[in-house]
Amino acid sequence: MISARFLLPLIIGLLLAAVPTVRHGYFTFQADAPGITDAALPSTVAGIPGAPRVRQAAWVRNAYGADSWAERAYESPGGAITLFVARGFDMKKLYHHPELGVLRGRSFQPLHHATLPGGAGEPVYVLPAAEARGESAVYALVYESRWVANPYVLQLSSALSTLWTGRRPLTLVLASGTVLTDQGQPSRDVADLLRAAVRGLAGKPPSPS
């Protein structure tokens, strides 16, 4: 039998626990996420226009849990670059080995972290090609307009904050092709491309690279 003096605190505790349970368990409660369109992506790289690519919606949803996405291919002076962006609420599908989706079948060296040259040191993830002439990849993760340095920390912190606020989407911005310098760092072209893409996805005009 519960003592009367503990009854009120118990009721308050149960009510506090019930609010996030009801919000997330019985209602869809997530923040609005502007859909990604091709118009949000940079139109050019180093003055060279890009061409949109189309993928099957069911495949992208299965691979990335993405609600919206877009893809463009560019023939830059330094070589071909493909830009793929996807946005969704299943964080793990977007940050955990994203190369196993659009870059399935390519071989890479181990992942390492880097920062983009010529800017504010935005954190990115680098996958050098396993072969001399293979494709490399550089990708960024963006959450609420912030470049994500550690997605595991983000997922843990957001798991607590979203108990009371709406879930917010994670955005993957992945460039592949000739994207690294001879020293294995992101090239200036790909740095400009990723920055322009992040600006466009935030609703700001993506300045041509």
Short mmCIF file of all heavy atoms in Angstrom, two decimals, residues 2-55:
data_model
loop_
_atom_site.label_atom_id
_atom_site.label_comp_id
_atom_site.label_asym_id
_atom_site.label_seq_id
_atom_site.Cartn_x
_atom_site.Cartn_y
_atom_site.Cartn_z
N ILE A 2 0.52 2.22 -0.86
CA ILE A 2 1.32 3.43 -0.99
C ILE A 2 0.91 4.46 0.06
O ILE A 2 -0.27 4.75 0.24
CB ILE A 2 1.16 4.04 -2.39
CG1 ILE A 2 1.61 3.01 -3.44
CG2 ILE A 2 1.95 5.32 -2.54
CD1 ILE A 2 1.33 3.44 -4.85
N SER A 3 1.92 4.99 0.74
CA SER A 3 1.65 6.02 1.73
C SER A 3 1.11 7.26 1.04
O SER A 3 1.52 7.60 -0.08
CB SER A 3 2.94 6.36 2.48
OG SER A 3 2.76 7.49 3.29
N ALA A 4 0.19 7.95 1.68
CA ALA A 4 -0.44 9.14 1.09
C ALA A 4 0.57 10.23 0.78
O ALA A 4 0.42 10.98 -0.18
CB ALA A 4 -1.51 9.67 2.03
N ARG A 5 1.65 10.30 1.54
CA ARG A 5 2.62 11.37 1.33
C ARG A 5 3.44 11.14 0.04
O ARG A 5 4.05 12.06 -0.49
CB ARG A 5 3.56 11.50 2.53
CG ARG A 5 4.43 10.30 2.78
CD ARG A 5 5.39 10.58 3.92
NE ARG A 5 6.20 9.42 4.25
CZ ARG A 5 7.27 9.46 5.03
NH1 ARG A 5 7.61 10.62 5.58
NH2 ARG A 5 7.95 8.37 5.28
N PHE A 6 3.46 9.88 -0.43
CA PHE A 6 4.17 9.59 -1.68
C PHE A 6 3.25 9.59 -2.89
O PHE A 6 3.71 9.47 -4.03
CB PHE A 6 4.87 8.22 -1.59
CG PHE A 6 5.94 8.17 -0.55
CD1 PHE A 6 5.86 7.23 0.48
CD2 PHE A 6 7.03 9.03 -0.58
CE1 PHE A 6 6.85 7.17 1.45
CE2 PHE A 6 8.03 8.97 0.38
CZ PHE A 6 7.93 8.05 1.40
N LEU A 7 1.95 9.71 -2.66
CA LEU A 7 0.99 9.57 -3.75
C LEU A 7 1.12 10.69 -4.78
O LEU A 7 1.16 10.45 -5.99
CB LEU A 7 -0.43 9.52 -3.19
CG LEU A 7 -1.54 9.22 -4.20
CD1 LEU A 7 -1.28 7.87 -4.87
CD2 LEU A 7 -2.90 9.22 -3.52
N LEU A 8 1.20 11.94 -4.30
CA LEU A 8 1.29 13.07 -5.22
C LEU A 8 2.57 13.04 -6.05
O LEU A 8 2.50 13.18 -7.29
CB LEU A 8 1.17 14.39 -4.46
CG LEU A 8 1.19 15.66 -5.34
CD1 LEU A 8 0.05 15.62 -6.36
CD2 LEU A 8 1.09 16.91 -4.47
N PRO A 9 3.76 12.84 -5.43
CA PRO A 9 4.97 12.74 -6.25
C PRO A 9 4.90 11.60 -7.27
O PRO A 9 5.40 11.73 -8.39
CB PRO A 9 6.09 12.49 -5.23
CG PRO A 9 5.57 13.07 -3.96
CD PRO A 9 4.09 12.80 -4.00
N LEU A 10 4.26 10.47 -6.88
CA LEU A 10 4.14 9.34 -7.81
C LEU A 10 3.27 9.72 -9.01
O LEU A 10 3.61 9.41 -10.16
CB LEU A 10 3.54 8.14 -7.07
CG LEU A 10 3.27 6.89 -7.94
CD1 LEU A 10 4.58 6.37 -8.53
CD2 LEU A 10 2.58 5.81 -7.11
N ILE A 11 2.16 10.40 -8.75
CA ILE A 11 1.27 10.81 -9.83
C ILE A 11 1.99 11.78 -10.77
O ILE A 11 1.90 11.65 -12.00
CB ILE A 11 -0.01 11.46 -9.26
CG1 ILE A 11 -0.86 10.41 -8.54
CG2 ILE A 11 -0.82 12.12 -10.38
CD1 ILE A 11 -2.05 10.98 -7.81
N ILE A 12 2.73 12.74 -10.20
CA ILE A 12 3.46 13.71 -11.03
C ILE A 12 4.51 12.99 -11.89
O ILE A 12 4.66 13.27 -13.09
CB ILE A 12 4.13 14.77 -10.14
CG1 ILE A 12 3.05 15.64 -9.47
CG2 ILE A 12 5.07 15.65 -10.97
CD1 ILE A 12 3.60 16.62 -8.45
N GLY A 13 5.22 12.04 -11.28
CA GLY A 13 6.23 11.28 -12.02
C GLY A 13 5.64 10.49 -13.16
O GLY A 13 6.19 10.45 -14.27
N LEU A 14 4.49 9.86 -12.93
CA LEU A 14 3.82 9.09 -13.98
C LEU A 14 3.34 9.99 -15.11
O LEU A 14 3.43 9.62 -16.29
CB LEU A 14 2.65 8.31 -13.38
CG LEU A 14 3.02 7.15 -12.45
CD1 LEU A 14 1.77 6.55 -11.81
CD2 LEU A 14 3.77 6.06 -13.22
N LEU A 15 2.83 11.16 -14.75
CA LEU A 15 2.36 12.09 -15.78
C LEU A 15 3.53 12.58 -16.64
O LEU A 15 3.41 12.70 -17.86
CB LEU A 15 1.64 13.27 -15.13
CG LEU A 15 0.26 12.97 -14.54
CD1 LEU A 15 -0.29 14.20 -13.82
CD2 LEU A 15 -0.71 12.53 -15.65
N LEU A 16 4.66 12.89 -15.98
CA LEU A 16 5.82 13.36 -16.73
C LEU A 16 6.32 12.27 -17.69
O LEU A 16 6.71 12.56 -18.82
CB LEU A 16 6.94 13.76 -15.77
CG LEU A 16 6.71 15.04 -14.97
CD1 LEU A 16 7.82 15.23 -13.94
CD2 LEU A 16 6.64 16.25 -15.90
N ALA A 17 6.30 11.03 -17.25
CA ALA A 17 6.74 9.93 -18.11
C ALA A 17 5.74 9.66 -19.23
O ALA A 17 6.12 9.22 -20.32
CB ALA A 17 6.93 8.67 -17.27
N ALA A 18 4.47 9.94 -18.97
CA ALA A 18 3.44 9.64 -19.97
C ALA A 18 3.46 10.60 -21.15
O ALA A 18 3.11 10.21 -22.27
CB ALA A 18 2.06 9.68 -19.31
N VAL A 19 3.88 11.84 -20.90
CA VAL A 19 3.84 12.82 -21.99
C VAL A 19 4.68 12.40 -23.19
O VAL A 19 4.18 12.31 -24.31
CB VAL A 19 4.25 14.22 -21.48
CG1 VAL A 19 4.40 15.20 -22.64
CG2 VAL A 19 3.20 14.74 -20.50
N PRO A 20 6.01 12.13 -23.01
CA PRO A 20 6.78 11.70 -24.18
C PRO A 20 6.33 10.36 -24.73
O PRO A 20 6.41 10.12 -25.93
CB PRO A 20 8.22 11.63 -23.65
CG PRO A 20 8.09 11.52 -22.18
CD PRO A 20 6.85 12.28 -21.82
N THR A 21 5.83 9.47 -23.86
CA THR A 21 5.36 8.16 -24.33
C THR A 21 4.16 8.32 -25.25
O THR A 21 4.09 7.70 -26.33
CB THR A 21 4.97 7.27 -23.13
OG1 THR A 21 6.11 7.09 -22.29
CG2 THR A 21 4.47 5.92 -23.61
N VAL A 22 3.22 9.15 -24.86
CA VAL A 22 2.03 9.38 -25.69
C VAL A 22 2.41 10.09 -26.97
O VAL A 22 1.96 9.73 -28.06
CB VAL A 22 0.98 10.20 -24.90
CG1 VAL A 22 -0.14 10.65 -25.82
CG2 VAL A 22 0.42 9.37 -23.75
N ARG A 23 3.29 11.11 -26.87
CA ARG A 23 3.67 11.88 -28.05
C ARG A 23 4.34 11.02 -29.09
O ARG A 23 4.05 11.10 -30.29
CB ARG A 23 4.62 13.02 -27.65
CG ARG A 23 3.95 14.20 -27.01
CD ARG A 23 4.97 15.21 -26.57
NE ARG A 23 4.84 16.45 -27.30
CZ ARG A 23 5.57 17.53 -27.06
NH1 ARG A 23 6.48 17.49 -26.12
NH2 ARG A 23 5.41 18.62 -27.76
N HIS A 24 5.27 10.16 -28.66
CA HIS A 24 6.06 9.38 -29.61
C HIS A 24 5.46 8.00 -29.88
O HIS A 24 5.72 7.44 -30.94
CB HIS A 24 7.49 9.24 -29.09
CG HIS A 24 8.22 10.54 -29.02
ND1 HIS A 24 8.77 11.15 -30.13
CD2 HIS A 24 8.47 11.37 -27.99
CE1 HIS A 24 9.35 12.29 -29.78
NE2 HIS A 24 9.17 12.45 -28.48
N GLY A 25 4.70 7.48 -28.95
CA GLY A 25 4.15 6.15 -29.14
C GLY A 25 2.81 6.12 -29.85
O GLY A 25 2.51 5.15 -30.54
N TYR A 26 2.02 7.17 -29.69
CA TYR A 26 0.68 7.16 -30.26
C TYR A 26 0.45 8.22 -31.32
O TYR A 26 -0.52 8.19 -32.05
CB TYR A 26 -0.36 7.32 -29.14
CG TYR A 26 -0.32 6.19 -28.14
CD1 TYR A 26 0.43 6.29 -26.98
CD2 TYR A 26 -1.00 5.00 -28.39
CE1 TYR A 26 0.49 5.24 -26.07
CE2 TYR A 26 -0.95 3.95 -27.48
CZ TYR A 26 -0.21 4.07 -26.33
OH TYR A 26 -0.14 3.04 -25.44
N PHE A 27 1.36 9.17 -31.42
CA PHE A 27 1.24 10.21 -32.42
C PHE A 27 2.57 10.34 -33.14
O PHE A 27 3.63 10.11 -32.56
CB PHE A 27 0.88 11.56 -31.79
CG PHE A 27 -0.42 11.55 -31.03
CD1 PHE A 27 -0.43 11.40 -29.65
CD2 PHE A 27 -1.62 11.68 -31.69
CE1 PHE A 27 -1.62 11.38 -28.95
CE2 PHE A 27 -2.81 11.66 -30.99
CZ PHE A 27 -2.82 11.52 -29.62
N THR A 28 2.51 10.69 -34.41
CA THR A 28 3.74 10.98 -35.14
C THR A 28 4.18 12.38 -34.76
O THR A 28 3.52 13.36 -35.08
CB THR A 28 3.50 10.92 -36.66
OG1 THR A 28 3.06 9.61 -36.99
CG2 THR A 28 4.78 11.22 -37.42
N PHE A 29 5.30 12.47 -34.06
CA PHE A 29 5.73 13.77 -33.57
C PHE A 29 7.16 14.02 -34.02
O PHE A 29 8.10 13.51 -33.44
CB PHE A 29 5.65 13.82 -32.04
CG PHE A 29 5.95 15.18 -31.46
CD1 PHE A 29 5.11 16.25 -31.71
CD2 PHE A 29 7.07 15.39 -30.68
CE1 PHE A 29 5.39 17.50 -31.19
CE2 PHE A 29 7.35 16.64 -30.14
CZ PHE A 29 6.50 17.68 -30.40
N GLN A 30 7.30 14.75 -35.11
CA GLN A 30 8.61 15.08 -35.62
C GLN A 30 8.57 16.44 -36.29
O GLN A 30 7.52 16.88 -36.77
CB GLN A 30 9.11 14.01 -36.59
CG GLN A 30 8.21 13.77 -37.78
CD GLN A 30 8.63 12.53 -38.56
OE1 GLN A 30 9.17 11.58 -38.01
NE2 GLN A 30 8.41 12.54 -39.86
N ALA A 31 9.70 17.10 -36.26
CA ALA A 31 9.78 18.44 -36.82
C ALA A 31 9.62 18.38 -38.34
O ALA A 31 9.96 17.39 -38.98
CB ALA A 31 11.12 19.07 -36.45
N ASP A 32 9.09 19.45 -38.89
CA ASP A 32 8.98 19.53 -40.34
C ASP A 32 10.37 19.52 -40.96
O ASP A 32 11.29 20.19 -40.49
CB ASP A 32 8.24 20.81 -40.75
CG ASP A 32 6.77 20.76 -40.36
OD1 ASP A 32 6.25 19.64 -40.25
OD2 ASP A 32 6.17 21.83 -40.18
N ALA A 33 10.54 18.75 -42.02
CA ALA A 33 11.82 18.68 -42.71
C ALA A 33 11.60 19.06 -44.17
O ALA A 33 10.92 18.34 -44.90
CB ALA A 33 12.40 17.27 -42.63
N PRO A 34 12.11 20.22 -44.60
CA PRO A 34 11.95 20.60 -46.01
C PRO A 34 12.49 19.51 -46.92
O PRO A 34 13.58 18.98 -46.70
CB PRO A 34 12.79 21.89 -46.11
CG PRO A 34 12.89 22.40 -44.72
CD PRO A 34 12.90 21.19 -43.85
N GLY A 35 11.71 19.15 -47.91
CA GLY A 35 12.13 18.11 -48.84
C GLY A 35 13.31 18.56 -49.69
O GLY A 35 13.45 19.73 -50.03
N ILE A 36 14.16 17.61 -50.04
CA ILE A 36 15.31 17.89 -50.90
C ILE A 36 14.87 17.82 -52.35
O ILE A 36 14.21 16.86 -52.76
CB ILE A 36 16.44 16.88 -50.64
CG1 ILE A 36 17.02 17.07 -49.24
CG2 ILE A 36 17.55 17.00 -51.69
CD1 ILE A 36 17.99 15.99 -48.83
N THR A 37 15.26 18.80 -53.12
CA THR A 37 15.00 18.79 -54.56
C THR A 37 16.30 19.08 -55.28
O THR A 37 17.26 19.59 -54.70
CB THR A 37 13.96 19.85 -54.95
OG1 THR A 37 14.50 21.16 -54.70
CG2 THR A 37 12.66 19.69 -54.17
N ASP A 38 16.33 18.78 -56.57
CA ASP A 38 17.53 19.04 -57.36
C ASP A 38 17.88 20.52 -57.37
O ASP A 38 19.06 20.88 -57.46
CB ASP A 38 17.32 18.54 -58.79
CG ASP A 38 18.55 18.70 -59.65
OD1 ASP A 38 19.55 18.00 -59.41
OD2 ASP A 38 18.53 19.55 -60.56
N ALA A 39 16.88 21.38 -57.24
CA ALA A 39 17.13 22.83 -57.27
C ALA A 39 17.96 23.28 -56.08
O ALA A 39 18.59 24.34 -56.13
CB ALA A 39 15.80 23.58 -57.30
N ALA A 40 17.98 22.50 -55.00
CA ALA A 40 18.76 22.88 -53.82
C ALA A 40 20.25 22.60 -53.99
O ALA A 40 21.07 23.12 -53.25
CB ALA A 40 18.25 22.13 -52.59
N LEU A 41 20.61 21.79 -54.98
CA LEU A 41 22.01 21.41 -55.17
C LEU A 41 22.72 22.41 -56.07
O LEU A 41 22.11 23.06 -56.91
CB LEU A 41 22.09 20.01 -55.78
CG LEU A 41 21.41 18.89 -55.00
CD1 LEU A 41 21.75 17.54 -55.62
CD2 LEU A 41 21.79 18.92 -53.54
N PRO A 42 24.04 22.53 -55.91
CA PRO A 42 24.81 23.44 -56.77
C PRO A 42 24.63 23.07 -58.24
O PRO A 42 24.67 21.88 -58.60
CB PRO A 42 26.25 23.23 -56.32
CG PRO A 42 26.14 22.69 -54.94
CD PRO A 42 24.90 21.87 -54.90
N SER A 43 24.43 24.05 -59.07
CA SER A 43 24.22 23.78 -60.50
C SER A 43 25.51 23.48 -61.22
O SER A 43 25.51 22.80 -62.26
CB SER A 43 23.52 24.97 -61.16
OG SER A 43 24.29 26.15 -60.99
N THR A 44 26.65 23.96 -60.70
CA THR A 44 27.93 23.76 -61.37
C THR A 44 29.03 23.43 -60.37
O THR A 44 28.91 23.70 -59.18
CB THR A 44 28.36 25.02 -62.15
OG1 THR A 44 28.62 26.08 -61.21
CG2 THR A 44 27.30 25.47 -63.15
N VAL A 45 30.11 22.85 -60.89
CA VAL A 45 31.36 22.68 -60.15
C VAL A 45 32.45 23.28 -61.03
O VAL A 45 32.64 22.84 -62.17
CB VAL A 45 31.67 21.20 -59.87
CG1 VAL A 45 33.09 21.05 -59.33
CG2 VAL A 45 30.69 20.63 -58.87
N ALA A 46 33.14 24.30 -60.51
CA ALA A 46 34.19 24.99 -61.27
C ALA A 46 33.67 25.45 -62.63
O ALA A 46 34.36 25.37 -63.65
CB ALA A 46 35.40 24.07 -61.44
N GLY A 47 32.42 25.91 -62.65
CA GLY A 47 31.84 26.43 -63.88
C GLY A 47 31.26 25.37 -64.80
O GLY A 47 30.68 25.71 -65.84
N ILE A 48 31.38 24.10 -64.46
CA ILE A 48 30.87 23.01 -65.29
C ILE A 48 29.50 22.58 -64.77
O ILE A 48 29.38 22.18 -63.61
CB ILE A 48 31.83 21.80 -65.29
CG1 ILE A 48 33.25 22.23 -65.65
CG2 ILE A 48 31.33 20.71 -66.22
CD1 ILE A 48 33.39 22.83 -67.03
N PRO A 49 28.44 22.65 -65.59
CA PRO A 49 27.10 22.29 -65.11
C PRO A 49 26.98 20.80 -64.81
O PRO A 49 27.63 19.97 -65.44
CB PRO A 49 26.19 22.70 -66.28
CG PRO A 49 27.07 22.72 -67.47
CD PRO A 49 28.43 23.11 -66.99
N GLY A 50 26.13 20.51 -63.84
CA GLY A 50 25.87 19.13 -63.47
C GLY A 50 24.55 18.65 -64.05
O GLY A 50 23.67 19.45 -64.38
N ALA A 51 24.40 17.33 -64.15
CA ALA A 51 23.18 16.73 -64.68
C ALA A 51 22.51 15.91 -63.59
O ALA A 51 23.18 15.13 -62.89
CB ALA A 51 23.51 15.86 -65.88
N PRO A 52 21.20 16.06 -63.41
CA PRO A 52 20.51 15.29 -62.36
C PRO A 52 20.49 13.79 -62.68
O PRO A 52 20.46 13.39 -63.84
CB PRO A 52 19.11 15.89 -62.35
CG PRO A 52 18.94 16.51 -63.69
CD PRO A 52 20.29 16.97 -64.12
N ARG A 53 20.50 12.99 -61.64
CA ARG A 53 20.35 11.54 -61.75
C ARG A 53 19.09 11.12 -61.02
O ARG A 53 18.67 11.77 -60.07
CB ARG A 53 21.56 10.82 -61.16
CG ARG A 53 22.81 10.86 -62.03
CD ARG A 53 23.91 10.01 -61.41
NE ARG A 53 25.05 9.85 -62.29
CZ ARG A 53 26.12 9.12 -61.99
NH1 ARG A 53 26.20 8.51 -60.82
NH2 ARG A 53 27.11 9.02 -62.85
N VAL A 54 18.52 10.01 -61.45
CA VAL A 54 17.28 9.51 -60.86
C VAL A 54 17.50 8.11 -60.31
O VAL A 54 18.14 7.28 -60.96
CB VAL A 54 16.13 9.51 -61.90
CG1 VAL A 54 14.85 8.95 -61.28
CG2 VAL A 54 15.89 10.91 -62.44
N ARG A 55 17.01 7.86 -59.12
CA ARG A 55 17.05 6.53 -58.52
C ARG A 55 15.64 6.12 -58.10
O ARG A 55 14.77 6.96 -57.89
CB ARG A 55 17.98 6.51 -57.30
CG ARG A 55 19.45 6.70 -57.64
CD ARG A 55 20.32 6.54 -56.41
NE ARG A 55 21.72 6.75 -56.74
CZ ARG A 55 22.55 5.79 -57.10
NH1 ARG A 55 22.11 4.53 -57.16
NH2 ARG A 55 23.82 6.04 -57.39
#
